[in-house]
CSV table of all heavy atoms in Angstrom, one decimal:
chain,number,residue,atom,x,y,z
A,177,ARG,N,-13.3,-11.4,37.0
A,177,ARG,CA,-12.7,-10.2,37.2
A,177,ARG,C,-11.2,-10.3,37.0
A,177,ARG,O,-10.5,-10.5,38.0
A,177,ARG,CB,-13.0,-9.6,38.6
A,177,ARG,CG,-14.5,-9.3,38.8
A,177,ARG,CD,-14.7,-8.5,40.1
A,177,ARG,NE,-14.3,-9.3,41.2
A,177,ARG,CZ,-15.0,-10.1,41.9
A,177,ARG,NH1,-16.3,-10.2,41.6
A,177,ARG,NH2,-14.6,-10.8,43.0
A,178,PRO,N,-10.7,-10.4,35.8
A,178,PRO,CA,-9.3,-10.6,35.6
A,178,PRO,C,-8.5,-9.4,36.1
A,178,PRO,O,-8.9,-8.2,35.8
A,178,PRO,CB,-9.1,-10.8,34.1
A,178,PRO,CG,-10.3,-10.2,33.5
A,178,PRO,CD,-11.4,-10.3,34.6
A,179,THR,N,-7.3,-9.6,36.7
A,179,THR,CA,-6.5,-8.5,37.2
A,179,THR,C,-5.5,-8.1,36.1
A,179,THR,O,-4.9,-7.0,36.3
A,179,THR,CB,-5.7,-9.0,38.5
A,179,THR,OG1,-5.0,-10.2,38.2
A,179,THR,CG2,-6.7,-9.3,39.6
A,180,GLU,N,-5.2,-8.9,35.2
A,180,GLU,CA,-4.3,-8.5,34.1
A,180,GLU,C,-4.8,-9.0,32.8
A,180,GLU,O,-5.8,-9.7,32.7
A,180,GLU,CB,-2.9,-9.2,34.4
A,180,GLU,CG,-3.0,-10.7,34.4
A,180,GLU,CD,-1.6,-11.3,34.7
A,180,GLU,OE1,-0.7,-10.5,35.0
A,180,GLU,OE2,-1.5,-12.5,34.7
A,181,GLU,N,-4.2,-8.5,31.8
A,181,GLU,CA,-4.7,-8.8,30.4
A,181,GLU,C,-4.4,-10.3,30.1
A,181,GLU,O,-3.3,-10.8,30.4
A,181,GLU,CB,-3.9,-7.9,29.4
A,181,GLU,CG,-4.3,-6.5,29.4
A,181,GLU,CD,-5.8,-6.3,29.1
A,181,GLU,OE1,-6.3,-7.1,28.2
A,181,GLU,OE2,-6.4,-5.3,29.6
A,182,PRO,N,-5.4,-11.0,29.5
A,182,PRO,CA,-5.1,-12.4,29.2
A,182,PRO,C,-4.0,-12.5,28.1
A,182,PRO,O,-4.0,-11.8,27.2
A,182,PRO,CB,-6.5,-12.9,28.7
A,182,PRO,CG,-7.2,-11.6,28.2
A,182,PRO,CD,-6.7,-10.5,29.1
A,183,ARG,N,-3.2,-13.5,28.4
A,183,ARG,CA,-2.1,-13.7,27.4
A,183,ARG,C,-2.5,-14.8,26.4
A,183,ARG,O,-2.9,-15.9,26.8
A,183,ARG,CB,-0.8,-14.2,28.2
A,183,ARG,CG,0.4,-14.3,27.4
A,183,ARG,CD,1.6,-14.8,28.2
A,183,ARG,NE,1.3,-16.0,28.8
A,183,ARG,CZ,2.2,-16.6,29.7
A,183,ARG,NH1,3.4,-16.0,29.9
A,183,ARG,NH2,1.9,-17.8,30.2
A,184,ALA,N,-2.3,-14.5,25.2
A,184,ALA,CA,-2.7,-15.4,24.1
A,184,ALA,C,-1.6,-16.5,24.0
A,184,ALA,O,-0.5,-16.3,24.3
A,184,ALA,CB,-2.9,-14.7,22.8
A,185,LEU,N,-2.0,-17.6,23.4
A,185,LEU,CA,-1.1,-18.7,23.2
A,185,LEU,C,-0.1,-18.3,22.1
A,185,LEU,O,-0.5,-17.6,21.2
A,185,LEU,CB,-1.8,-20.0,22.8
A,185,LEU,CG,-2.7,-20.6,23.9
A,185,LEU,CD1,-3.5,-21.8,23.3
A,185,LEU,CD2,-1.9,-21.1,25.1
A,186,PRO,N,1.2,-18.8,22.2
A,186,PRO,CA,2.1,-18.5,21.1
A,186,PRO,C,1.7,-19.0,19.8
A,186,PRO,O,1.8,-18.3,18.8
A,186,PRO,CB,3.4,-19.2,21.6
A,186,PRO,CG,3.2,-19.4,23.1
A,186,PRO,CD,1.7,-19.6,23.3
A,187,GLY,N,1.1,-20.2,19.7
A,187,GLY,CA,0.7,-20.7,18.5
A,187,GLY,C,-0.5,-19.9,17.9
A,187,GLY,O,-0.6,-19.6,16.7
A,188,ALA,N,-1.4,-19.4,18.7
A,188,ALA,CA,-2.5,-18.6,18.3
A,188,ALA,C,-2.1,-17.3,17.8
A,188,ALA,O,-2.6,-16.8,16.7
A,188,ALA,CB,-3.5,-18.4,19.4
A,189,ALA,N,-1.1,-16.6,18.5
A,189,ALA,CA,-0.6,-15.3,18.0
A,189,ALA,C,0.1,-15.4,16.7
A,189,ALA,O,-0.1,-14.6,15.8
A,189,ALA,CB,0.4,-14.7,19.1
A,190,ALA,N,1.0,-16.5,16.5
A,190,ALA,CA,1.7,-16.7,15.3
A,190,ALA,C,0.7,-17.0,14.1
A,190,ALA,O,0.9,-16.5,13.0
A,190,ALA,CB,2.7,-17.8,15.4
A,191,ALA,N,-0.3,-17.8,14.4
A,191,ALA,CA,-1.3,-18.1,13.4
A,191,ALA,C,-2.1,-16.9,13.0
A,191,ALA,O,-2.5,-16.7,11.8
A,191,ALA,CB,-2.2,-19.2,13.9
A,192,ALA,N,-2.4,-16.0,14.0
A,192,ALA,CA,-3.2,-14.8,13.6
A,192,ALA,C,-2.3,-13.9,12.8
A,192,ALA,O,-2.9,-13.2,11.9
A,192,ALA,CB,-3.6,-14.1,14.9
A,193,GLN,N,-1.0,-13.8,13.1
A,193,GLN,CA,-0.2,-12.9,12.3
A,193,GLN,C,0.0,-13.4,10.8
A,193,GLN,O,0.1,-12.7,9.9
A,193,GLN,CB,1.2,-12.7,12.9
A,193,GLN,CG,1.1,-12.0,14.3
A,193,GLN,CD,2.5,-11.9,14.9
A,193,GLN,OE1,3.5,-12.4,14.4
A,193,GLN,NE2,2.5,-11.2,16.1
A,194,ALA,N,0.1,-14.8,10.7
A,194,ALA,CA,0.3,-15.4,9.4
A,194,ALA,C,-1.0,-15.5,8.6
A,194,ALA,O,-0.9,-15.9,7.5
A,194,ALA,CB,1.0,-16.7,9.5
A,195,GLY,N,-2.1,-15.3,9.3
A,195,GLY,CA,-3.4,-15.5,8.6
A,195,GLY,C,-3.8,-16.9,8.4
A,195,GLY,O,-4.6,-17.2,7.5
A,196,VAL,N,-3.3,-17.8,9.3
A,196,VAL,CA,-3.6,-19.3,9.2
A,196,VAL,C,-4.6,-19.6,10.2
A,196,VAL,O,-4.5,-19.1,11.3
A,196,VAL,CB,-2.3,-20.1,9.3
A,196,VAL,CG1,-2.6,-21.6,9.2
A,196,VAL,CG2,-1.2,-19.7,8.3
A,197,GLN,N,-5.5,-20.5,9.9
A,197,GLN,CA,-6.5,-20.9,10.9
A,197,GLN,C,-5.8,-21.7,12.0
A,197,GLN,O,-5.1,-22.7,11.8
A,197,GLN,CB,-7.6,-21.8,10.2
A,197,GLN,CG,-8.7,-22.1,11.1
A,197,GLN,CD,-9.8,-22.9,10.4
A,197,GLN,OE1,-9.6,-23.2,9.2
A,197,GLN,NE2,-10.9,-23.2,11.1
A,198,PHE,N,-6.1,-21.3,13.2
A,198,PHE,CA,-5.5,-22.0,14.4
A,198,PHE,C,-6.4,-23.1,14.9
A,198,PHE,O,-7.6,-23.0,14.9
A,198,PHE,CB,-5.4,-20.9,15.5
A,198,PHE,CG,-4.8,-21.5,16.8
A,198,PHE,CD1,-3.4,-21.8,16.9
A,198,PHE,CD2,-5.6,-21.7,17.9
A,198,PHE,CE1,-2.9,-22.3,18.0
A,198,PHE,CE2,-5.1,-22.2,19.1
A,198,PHE,CZ,-3.7,-22.5,19.1
A,199,SER,N,-5.8,-24.2,15.3
A,199,SER,CA,-6.5,-25.4,15.8
A,199,SER,C,-6.1,-25.7,17.2
A,199,SER,O,-4.9,-25.9,17.5
A,199,SER,CB,-6.1,-26.6,14.9
A,199,SER,OG,-6.7,-27.8,15.4
A,200,ASN,N,-7.1,-25.7,18.1
A,200,ASN,CA,-6.8,-26.0,19.5
A,200,ASN,C,-6.4,-27.4,19.7
A,200,ASN,O,-5.5,-27.7,20.5
A,200,ASN,CB,-8.1,-25.7,20.3
A,200,ASN,CG,-8.4,-24.3,20.4
A,200,ASN,OD1,-7.5,-23.4,20.5
A,200,ASN,ND2,-9.7,-23.9,20.5
A,201,THR,N,-7.0,-28.4,19.0
A,201,THR,CA,-6.6,-29.8,19.1
A,201,THR,C,-5.2,-30.0,18.7
A,201,THR,O,-4.5,-30.8,19.3
A,201,THR,CB,-7.6,-30.6,18.2
A,201,THR,OG1,-8.9,-30.3,18.6
A,201,THR,CG2,-7.3,-32.1,18.5
A,202,LYS,N,-4.8,-29.4,17.6
A,202,LYS,CA,-3.4,-29.6,17.1
A,202,LYS,C,-2.4,-29.0,18.1
A,202,LYS,O,-1.3,-29.6,18.4
A,202,LYS,CB,-3.2,-28.9,15.8
A,202,LYS,CG,-1.8,-29.1,15.2
A,202,LYS,CD,-1.8,-28.4,13.8
A,202,LYS,CE,-0.4,-28.5,13.2
A,202,LYS,NZ,-0.3,-27.9,11.9
A,203,GLU,N,-2.8,-27.8,18.7
A,203,GLU,CA,-1.9,-27.2,19.7
A,203,GLU,C,-1.8,-28.1,21.0
A,203,GLU,O,-0.7,-28.2,21.6
A,203,GLU,CB,-2.4,-25.8,20.0
A,203,GLU,CG,-1.5,-25.0,20.9
A,203,GLU,CD,-0.2,-24.6,20.2
A,203,GLU,OE1,-0.1,-24.7,19.0
A,203,GLU,OE2,0.8,-24.3,20.9
A,204,LEU,N,-2.9,-28.6,21.4
A,204,LEU,CA,-2.9,-29.5,22.6
A,204,LEU,C,-2.1,-30.7,22.3
A,204,LEU,O,-1.3,-31.2,23.2
A,204,LEU,CB,-4.4,-29.9,23.0
A,204,LEU,CG,-5.2,-28.8,23.6
A,204,LEU,CD1,-6.6,-29.3,23.8
A,204,LEU,CD2,-4.6,-28.5,25.0
A,205,GLY,N,-2.2,-31.3,21.2
A,205,GLY,CA,-1.4,-32.5,20.8
A,205,GLY,C,0.1,-32.2,20.8
A,205,GLY,O,0.9,-33.0,21.3
A,206,ARG,N,0.4,-31.0,20.3
A,206,ARG,CA,1.8,-30.6,20.3
A,206,ARG,C,2.4,-30.4,21.7
A,206,ARG,O,3.5,-30.9,22.0
A,206,ARG,CB,2.0,-29.3,19.5
A,206,ARG,CG,3.4,-28.9,19.2
A,206,ARG,CD,3.5,-27.5,18.6
A,206,ARG,NE,3.0,-26.5,19.5
A,206,ARG,CZ,3.8,-26.0,20.5
A,206,ARG,NH1,5.0,-26.4,20.7
A,206,ARG,NH2,3.2,-25.1,21.3
A,207,LEU,N,1.6,-29.8,22.6
A,207,LEU,CA,2.1,-29.6,23.9
A,207,LEU,C,2.2,-30.9,24.7
A,207,LEU,O,3.1,-31.2,25.5
A,207,LEU,CB,1.1,-28.7,24.7
A,207,LEU,CG,1.2,-27.2,24.2
A,207,LEU,CD1,0.1,-26.4,24.9
A,207,LEU,CD2,2.5,-26.6,24.5
A,208,LEU,N,1.2,-31.8,24.5
A,208,LEU,CA,1.2,-33.1,25.2
A,208,LEU,C,2.4,-34.0,24.8
A,208,LEU,O,3.0,-34.6,25.7
A,208,LEU,CB,-0.1,-33.9,24.9
A,208,LEU,CG,-1.4,-33.4,25.6
A,208,LEU,CD1,-2.6,-34.2,25.2
A,208,LEU,CD2,-1.2,-33.5,27.1
A,209,TYR,N,2.7,-34.0,23.6
A,209,TYR,CA,3.8,-34.9,23.1
A,209,TYR,C,5.2,-34.2,23.0
A,209,TYR,O,6.1,-34.8,22.5
A,209,TYR,CB,3.4,-35.5,21.8
A,209,TYR,CG,2.3,-36.5,21.9
A,209,TYR,CD1,1.0,-36.1,21.5
A,209,TYR,CD2,2.5,-37.8,22.3
A,209,TYR,CE1,0.0,-37.0,21.6
A,209,TYR,CE2,1.5,-38.7,22.5
A,209,TYR,CZ,0.2,-38.3,22.1
A,209,TYR,OH,-0.8,-39.1,22.2
A,210,THR,N,5.3,-33.0,23.5
A,210,THR,CA,6.6,-32.3,23.6
A,210,THR,C,6.9,-31.9,25.0
A,210,THR,O,7.8,-32.5,25.6
A,210,THR,CB,6.6,-31.1,22.6
A,210,THR,OG1,5.5,-30.2,22.9
A,210,THR,CG2,6.5,-31.5,21.2
A,211,GLU,N,6.2,-30.9,25.5
A,211,GLU,CA,6.5,-30.4,26.9
A,211,GLU,C,6.0,-31.3,28.0
A,211,GLU,O,6.6,-31.4,29.1
A,211,GLU,CB,5.9,-29.0,27.0
A,211,GLU,CG,6.5,-28.0,26.0
A,211,GLU,CD,6.0,-26.6,26.2
A,211,GLU,OE1,5.3,-26.4,27.3
A,211,GLU,OE2,6.2,-25.7,25.4
A,212,TYR,N,4.8,-31.9,27.8
A,212,TYR,CA,4.2,-32.7,28.8
A,212,TYR,C,4.2,-34.2,28.5
A,212,TYR,O,3.3,-35.0,28.8
A,212,TYR,CB,2.7,-32.3,29.0
A,212,TYR,CG,2.6,-30.9,29.5
A,212,TYR,CD1,2.3,-29.9,28.5
A,212,TYR,CD2,2.8,-30.5,30.8
A,212,TYR,CE1,2.2,-28.5,28.9
A,212,TYR,CE2,2.7,-29.2,31.2
A,212,TYR,CZ,2.4,-28.2,30.2
A,212,TYR,OH,2.3,-26.9,30.6
A,213,LEU,N,5.3,-34.7,27.8
A,213,LEU,CA,5.3,-36.1,27.4
A,213,LEU,C,5.6,-37.0,28.6
A,213,LEU,O,4.9,-38.0,28.7
A,213,LEU,CB,6.5,-36.3,26.4
A,213,LEU,CG,6.7,-37.7,25.9
A,213,LEU,CD1,5.4,-38.2,25.2
A,213,LEU,CD2,7.8,-37.8,24.9
A,214,PHE,N,6.4,-36.6,29.5
A,214,PHE,CA,6.7,-37.4,30.7
A,214,PHE,C,5.5,-37.5,31.6
A,214,PHE,O,5.1,-38.7,32.0
A,214,PHE,CB,7.9,-36.9,31.5
A,214,PHE,CG,8.3,-37.7,32.7
A,214,PHE,CD1,8.8,-38.9,32.6
A,214,PHE,CD2,8.0,-37.2,34.0
A,214,PHE,CE1,9.2,-39.7,33.7
A,214,PHE,CE2,8.3,-37.9,35.1
A,214,PHE,CZ,8.9,-39.2,35.0
């Protein structure tokens, strides 16, 4: 029972607009080695 609209990932929204296939594994790797590296 979500109280608000689910927010899409930035990478997924950009990929949907550009018509490129989105990869969850690639996005997880990018987040792990950039924002969550420490």
Side-chain angles (χ1 to χ4, degrees):
R177 293 192 300 267
T179 56
E180 59 183 5
E181 291 296 329
R183 185 179 61 180
L185 292 175
Q193 293 177 0
V196 182
Q197 186 177 4
F198 179 74
S199 175
N200 291 326
T201 306
K202 183 178 179 179
E203 187 67 20
L204 285 173
R206 187 188 65 81
L207 290 175
L208 283 177
Y209 290 101
T210 53
E211 299 181 12
Y212 299 98
L213 181 60
F214 181 71

